[in-house]
Amino acid sequence: MSALVLLLLAPLFTGSVKWLKARLTHRVGPTPLLEYKNYLKLLGKAWIRPEVGTPVFLLGPALALVGALAAASFLPLLPGPRFSGDLFLALYLLNLGRFFQMLAALDTGSAFGAQGSYREGLVTVLAEPGTLLALAAAGLLGGGFSLSSLPVLTPGNALVLLLVLASLAVALLAEGARMPVDDPTTHLELTMIHEAQLLDHSGPLLALYEAAAGVKMLFYVGLMALLLPGAPLWTFFLLAVAWVLALAYLETYGVKLRYLRLPDFLSYNTLFGVLAILGAIWRL
């Protein structure tokens, strides 16, 4: 059920960010609901497969979305599957989709696709350890490595969980290919990371990628909502609105970091994760 909610809200989430960015630059901008129409338009178009392409080219978009939805199904926002260790399985399901996305970009033989895959792989290597450590710290405080047993922010565990929330915020920017890690609106191939991998995909394949990107960002919003007080579903909705505001302001008034500066920025994610796990061990 949680996966279905995230899939339905993903176009509204990304569409709201685009609308608010337009308003911040004194433009009318498209309605936030336009993303639903764009998805339907892409699904109705034909797709093109490169002559050198293999079935991996088709599997990449499908598995990117399937991995994101499978991970989202473990979020205890609504009834769904629960078991010990689903916290780590959910993260690796997300990265399974990313892995096949990188393979699909390489499969086309495109220089820009290969460049984007290399850079995406570097972002993953730099961002994943800190996220895992941060969630492990939350699991230690909650007494189990299940998403349904994560602790809620209280004065007693505030220091550790604030570090976990900071790590998840950096992971959302990296996983969602948002500023300052990547610019989702760039048209300069040499600066692209995520978008460079999608240049050869069109029609329904591109729609699958767009949906997967939105679900991934909402998945991290859902993780943060589980750590905050209140009903998880309502906290998720409020936090999603807050992230729409944050992303719109960040991408309107912020700048994209140079590629060689990304390790410096993503190292904060590792730092937050290490400090969080040390804090959790100290409390235990």
Side-chain angles (χ1 to χ4, degrees):
M1 292 297 293
S2 298
L4 180 60
V5 170
L6 265 61
L7 180 61
L8 293 176
L9 289 179
L12 180 61
F13 180 77
T14 54
S16 298
V17 173
K18 292 179 180 178
W19 172 80
L20 185 54
K21 286 168 63 177
R23 301 300 295 177
L24 290 173
T25 53
H26 306 287
R27 295 180 290 114
V28 176
T31 170
L33 300 178
L34 184 62
E35 287 295 290
Y36 292 99
K37 183 178 179 180
N38 289 339
Y39 279 23
L40 293 176
K41 182 173 66 175
L42 287 173
L43 291 173
K45 288 188 173 183
W47 52 272
I48 300 173
R49 175 178 170 179
E51 292 182 358
V52 297
T54 68
V56 174
F57 180 81
L58 304 179
L59 285 174
L63 290 179
L65 181 58
V66 168
L69 291 176
S73 67
F74 294 114
L75 285 175
L77 302 176
L78 291 170
R82 307 283 183 272
F83 55 86
S84 179
D86 58 7
L87 184 153
F88 299 113
L89 177 61
L91 283 183
Y92 279 102
L93 284 171
L94 282 181
N95 284 318
L96 175 68
R98 185 199 293 263
F99 173 73
F100 278 96
Q101 175 180 303
M102 293 163 60
L103 286 184
L106 291 169
D107 189 60
T108 64
S110 166
F112 288 123
Q115 173 185 273
S117 295
Y118 166 76
R119 293 181 173 182
E120 185 89 1
L122 179 64
V123 169
T124 303
V125 169
L126 293 173
E128 183 181 347
T131 306
L132 285 172
L133 288 173
L135 289 176
L140 286 175
L141 292 183
F145 296 108
S146 174
L147 290 171
S148 59
S149 64
L150 291 180
V152 176
L153 185 67
T154 62
N157 60 20
L159 180 58
V160 175
L161 289 192
L162 286 176
L163 288 169
V164 176
L165 289 170
S167 176
L168 292 176
V170 176
L172 185 150
L173 297 176
E175 185 75 31
R178 314 300 295 201
M179 298 268 275
V181 177
D182 194 10
D183 185 357
T185 61
T186 184
H187 297 289
L188 301 174
E189 288 86 349
L190 292 177
T191 65
M192 290 180 178
I193 299 179
H194 175 76
E195 297 296 327
Q197 302 173 80
L198 316 184
L199 290 176
D200 293 301
H201 290 81
S202 58
L205 303 179
L206 183 58
L208 294 177
Y209 272 142
E210 295 292 338
V215 172
K216 286 178 185 178
M217 286 190 288
L218 288 178
F219 173 79
Y220 282 98
V221 174
L223 285 179
M224 287 184 275
L226 297 178
L227 301 174
L228 297 176
L233 187 59
W234 290 109
T235 305
F236 167 76
F237 288 137
L238 293 176
L239 200 57
V241 173
W243 267 106
V244 167
L245 297 173
L247 289 174
Y249 275 87
L250 181 62
E251 294 177 8
T252 301
Y253 301 111
V255 295
K256 179 184 178 299
L257 288 175
R258 292 172 52 203
Y259 174 68
L260 295 178
R261 296 295 303 275
L262 288 183
D264 297 336
F265 175 73
L266 295 175
S267 65
Y268 287 107
N269 192 26
T270 304
L271 176 63
F272 294 144
V274 170
L275 292 177
I277 196 74
L278 290 176
I281 294 173
W282 178 263
R283 281 184 54 82
L284 293 177

